[in-house]
Amino acid sequence: MSINKRPLPPVVRIEPSSACNLKCSHCPTGVFQMARTIMKPDVFERCLEEIKKHIPPLRVCSLYQGGEPFLNKHFMTMIPRVKALGFPLVKTVSNGMLIKPEMCDDIITSGLDEIELSMDGHSPEENDRVRINSQFERLNMILHKLVEANRRHGNRVKMVISSTQFISLDNPKIDEAAGPPAYLEAAFADIIDGIHFKPTWARLWPSELPAEGYDMLHDDRPHVPPARCDILDDMINIRADGRVVACCYDLTSSTNFGNIMEMSLQEIWDGLPSLSFRKDYESGNYPELCQNCMLVTGPKYLLHKDSDRPRVIHRVSDFSQQESAAE
């Protein structure tokens, strides 16, 4: 039962699939074993029924959470139905491996406003090694086909390459923003005016996964967590099974505010689990998920390791002490 009533946030995530065809070593979806599913048509219909009551304040719909959207055989029909609700912005994120050349025109004209394709690391080889079952050569071809289709249809979709990169412990540049890797700029030089880059440093997820495959560099310099978490307050996240979780980083469904098949979105948003979670964050009594989040702890960067030895945790303060001792 709702105990309050406040407008829904501006962003809603609908997850077409919580499963993925890749086993990325730096992503909880790739390494954490849990029940995963494809969103069933009745769950999607329920999402539409509820969401249309709240436009506005809902303005953005992301058809993505933690799995690969194109695993859902209904995905291409889901997009225009979401767009028809009146969202100014509908976007998705894909690993690109299930996109076929003959699908590109339909993707561009589907109603999407933005699509992100994920390509990581500093070389094609690193991308394929980290993103297990990904093939950069194929992604290169697919993105070219998508940009060509986008041009044919008046550049109606924002094309984005999301690129996670790994810092080097020999020369950590955590105070510098990650830039587009040279191999991607070279591979897409002929279409670079038709794409945008979204580079980020690889960080540990709040779930503390992945844990075994990487060393870590913790930025433990003095850090004051923000009094308000934009992610918690500005987004509602519906997983493929209809469960609403606290945060887009909760890819292991460690939280549960209610299920869209059993409650209205308004009841879930105003319900006690949702309100208590946010009040605990704001009071500094951080919920377990938030205790491991970089907003609270400071960033924890993932580092490649070359053996099966236990994970090593480095700290930025250790480097500062070494520099002081050297002086």
Side-chain angles (χ1 to χ4, degrees):
M1 179 178 293
S2 176
I3 61 174
N4 191 21
K5 190 167 183 178
R6 58 194 177 130
L8 264 63
V11 180
V12 61
R13 285 179 176 268
I14 304 174
E15 183 179 53
S17 167
S18 63
C20 189
N21 53 314
L22 302 191
K23 297 291 183 183
C24 298
S25 59
H26 58 316
C27 173
T29 301
V31 302
F32 185 71
Q33 299 300 314
M34 60 176 284
R36 300 188 184 279
T37 189
I38 306 297
M39 181 172 277
K40 295 178 180 178
D42 61 332
V43 179
F44 179 63
E45 293 297 333
R46 175 67 174 164
C47 289
L48 296 183
E49 178 185 336
E50 282 298 313
I51 286 169
K52 67 182 180 183
K53 302 174 185 176
H54 301 281
I55 301 177
L58 291 173
R59 299 191 302 272
V60 177
C61 181
S62 178
L63 288 167
Y64 172 78
Q65 173 86 355
E68 171 51 46
F70 284 94
L71 278 174
N72 191 319
K73 65 181 181 180
H74 302 294
F75 181 54
M76 290 299 298
T77 60
M78 294 168 75
I79 299 168
R81 295 195 64 197
V82 168
K83 185 63 177 178
L85 294 179
F87 281 103
L89 177 62
V90 176
K91 64 174 291 185
T92 195
V93 180
S94 172
N95 61 53
M97 290 299 295
L98 298 179
I99 298 176
K100 299 176 181 178
E102 58 267 26
M103 296 167 60
C104 291
D105 283 286
D106 289 339
I107 290 171
I108 296 302
T109 58
S110 65
L112 277 178
D113 298 289
E114 182 176 329
I115 182 170
E116 288 184 22
L117 295 184
S118 301
M119 304 177 201
D120 296 343
H122 290 91
S123 68
E125 294 76 19
E126 186 178 7
N127 175 81
D128 294 356
R129 183 173 67 252
V130 170
R131 302 184 60 79
I132 299 168
N133 297 328
S134 181
Q135 299 171 8
F136 178 73
E137 274 191 29
R138 191 174 192 287
L139 296 177
N140 188 339
M141 178 270 292
I142 288 298
L143 183 55
H144 273 84
K145 295 292 186 183
L146 280 169
V147 170
E148 290 167 9
N150 204 26
R151 288 171 173 170
R152 284 195 296 273
H153 295 284
N155 292 313
R156 62 176 69 183
V157 178
K158 183 178 180 179
M159 311 294 300
V160 180
I161 297 178
S162 176
S163 180
T164 298
Q165 299 168 48
F166 298 84
I167 64 171
S168 168
L169 196 59
D170 296 329
N171 185 26
K173 299 180 180 179
I174 58 176
D175 290 327
E176 299 178 18
Y183 87 97
L184 291 180
E185 292 183 307
F188 302 113
D190 58 326
I191 56 169
I192 205 161
D193 61 333
I195 57 177
H196 303 260
F197 289 100
K198 183 181 175 181
T200 57
W201 297 122
R203 295 181 174 94
L204 190 70
W205 290 78
S207 60
E208 291 286 343
L209 294 168
E212 299 303 324
Y214 291 90
D215 287 342
M216 191 173 74
L217 174 62
H218 181 196
D219 188 350
D220 62 342
R221 292 174 292 186
H223 168 77
V224 178
R228 174 184 179 274
C229 176
D230 292 343
I231 297 174
L232 294 179
D233 289 341
D234 294 349
M235 190 181 301
I236 191 164
N237 308 276
I238 309 171
R239 301 223 66 182
D241 60 1
R243 184 181 338 191
V244 175
V245 297
C247 172
C248 59
Y249 289 137
D250 187 10
L251 299 189
T252 60
S253 293
S254 65
T255 59
N256 184 2
F257 290 168
N259 196 296
I260 192 72
M261 301 302 287
E262 301 166 356
M263 304 168 65
S264 71
L265 270 182
Q266 189 73 61
E267 288 172 328
I268 293 172
W269 185 243
D270 288 338
L272 188 59
S274 173
L275 292 177
S276 296
F277 196 98
R278 287 166 176 80
K279 286 180 180 178
D280 284 347
Y281 179 91
E282 292 170 2
S283 69
N285 181 28
Y286 300 115
E288 185 176 357
L289 180 69
C290 303
Q291 290 172 19
N292 299 317
C293 178
M294 62 184 176
L295 291 180
V296 172
T297 67
K300 299 175 181 178
Y301 300 94
L302 297 178
L303 307 169
H304 287 307
K305 68 176 184 177
D306 55 8
S307 72
D308 293 330
R309 58 170 168 71
R311 182 177 66 178
V312 175
I313 300 177
H314 306 272
R315 293 175 174 81
V316 170
S317 59
D318 295 337
F319 291 92
S320 302
Q321 290 169 9
Q322 292 171 10
E323 291 171 0
S324 298
E327 293 174 356

